[in-house]
Amino acid sequence: MAQDQIDLARIPVLSLEDDRADLPARIGESFRTFGFAMVRDHGIDQALIDRAWELTRAFFELPVETKMHYHLAGKGGARGYTPFKTEVAKGATEKDLKEFWHVGRDLPEGSPLAESMAPNVWPAEIEGFEETFKQLYRRFDEVGAQILSAIAIDLGLDEKWFDPAIEDGNSVLRLLHYPPVGEGAGGAIRAGAHEDINLITLLLGAEEAGLELLGKNGEWLSVAPPEGALVINIGDMLQRLSNHVLPSTTHRVRNPEGARAGFSRYSMPFFLHLRSDFPFVTLPQCISEENPDRYPVSITADDYLNERLREIGLIA
């Protein structure tokens, strides 16, 4: 589909500085309408972001043989490098045209969560990589907690409700590279239609277009954040916890056309997760006669994550 045939999603751009008082209501409305929101004035230093983009490009420009030294077979891509055409969207037959690197949380020594959260690995070839992405991970973590606080208030919870649920959570910062699209792509696209697994995703916008969400009318809508803004979307974990009051919206990254097909696309999502041992119990505020509890059986966040990772081909 040509770009001029795709409608632009009219997602409001909210400010974490200027909209503090009415942020819960406004971000809740955006999530209920689109499953997505856009936020500016998030406070993540632009110099840090610029450095992160530079190091991301430098890593993916390394030879495949070098990158494969950091591929941890059997670990489901939880840390380090995942090669091109590994992940597949749930229910899809063609693997995504992407490769990625995962940065996870550094747990305190002796943490009981260590069994479900592997230590990080770092590429020795890229100077400053570990320092930069540890710092960026911390900042994403902080901003994500602010967003969840607003969500909690909108749902009728205490503003700190999510704090213990995400303490030492299994969140992941993903560095994504979509190489130029060649003629041999066939039916594959950069990222097939999918929903995210986690609570919320915070995404630093890419230079190259392509992100689209599926509107309620069944039409694909282009997501075009202004420079410096974060795109935030609801994941399946929060959809489950909220009994679908907050929807996890289907989205994809379509292939470019014409001259743009010869360019790489980079993006940097932060998948904010619950603690691995968090038990899913549907929020009572989200259960009603019109919206009965869809999930009466409780499972842990780690059980749910592994179930979904099997569906997308990252673990057997």
Side-chain angles (χ1 to χ4, degrees), residues 62-314:
L62 292 172
V64 173
E65 296 77 12
T66 302
K67 291 183 286 190
M68 286 300 293
H69 290 318
Y70 302 101
H71 173 52
L72 308 178
K75 299 296 183 181
R79 302 291 184 266
Y81 177 65
T82 295
F84 184 66
K85 294 189 75 172
T86 297
E87 189 172 82
V88 60
K90 179 181 176 180
T93 55
E94 297 281 353
K95 293 184 177 180
D96 289 348
L97 303 177
K98 67 189 182 191
E99 56 180 340
F100 54 88
W101 177 279
H102 274 171
V103 177
R105 186 178 305 281
D106 291 316
L107 291 169
E109 188 173 349
S111 171
L113 300 175
E115 188 175 329
S116 61
M117 295 167 64
N120 279 304
V121 296
W122 302 104
E125 295 80 3
I126 310 295
E127 185 178 354
F129 194 96
E130 178 178 357
E131 175 191 0
T132 296
F133 287 107
K134 279 186 173 181
Q135 186 178 352
L136 186 59
Y137 186 105
R138 286 193 298 270
R139 291 296 295 121
F140 266 124
D141 217 18
E142 292 162 356
V143 175
Q146 288 181 262
I147 299 298
L148 284 174
S149 179
I151 291 171
I153 294 171
D154 180 61
L155 290 174
L157 303 166
D158 181 86
E159 65 178 339
K160 300 294 185 182
W161 190 91
F162 282 102
D163 287 2
I166 62 172
E167 183 180 3
D168 288 340
N170 195 10
S171 301
V172 173
L173 174 58
R174 174 180 282 192
L175 317 181
L176 262 168
H177 174 224
Y178 305 94
V181 178
E183 293 181 1
I189 66 171
R190 283 180 158 173
H194 66 284
E195 299 80 46
D196 291 345
I197 299 171
N198 43 288
L199 272 181
I200 59 172
T201 301
L202 293 81
L203 174 70
L204 281 173
E207 292 178 0
E208 293 291 317
L211 177 62
E212 297 169 355
L213 67 87
L214 188 62
K216 292 180 179 179
N217 62 357
E219 298 292 328
W220 287 102
L221 305 174
S222 179
V223 180
E227 186 173 353
L230 288 171
V231 178
I232 302 168
N233 64 274
I234 301 296
D236 287 350
M237 287 184 174
L238 186 51
Q239 174 177 263
R240 177 181 178 130
L241 198 60
S242 70
N243 204 29
H244 293 227
V245 168
L246 296 178
S248 177
T249 299
T250 303
H251 53 287
R252 69 182 183 183
V253 178
R254 64 173 176 82
N255 291 345
E257 298 178 346
R260 302 318 301 174
F263 288 79
S264 285
R265 183 182 191 270
Y266 299 90
S267 69
M268 210 175 294
F270 181 80
F271 301 118
L272 199 158
H273 276 263
L274 297 156
R275 289 175 57 93
S276 298
D277 57 3
F278 177 86
F280 277 105
V281 177
T282 308
L283 294 170
Q285 293 86 342
C286 299
I287 300 172
S288 66
E289 188 175 336
E290 297 77 24
N291 188 30
D293 187 359
R294 292 171 167 85
Y295 305 103
V297 178
S298 178
I299 62 172
T300 68
D302 194 52
D303 288 339
Y304 183 79
L305 173 62
N306 286 319
E307 177 184 302
R308 291 298 307 279
L309 291 178
R310 283 190 287 271
E311 291 173 345
I312 62 175
L314 287 182

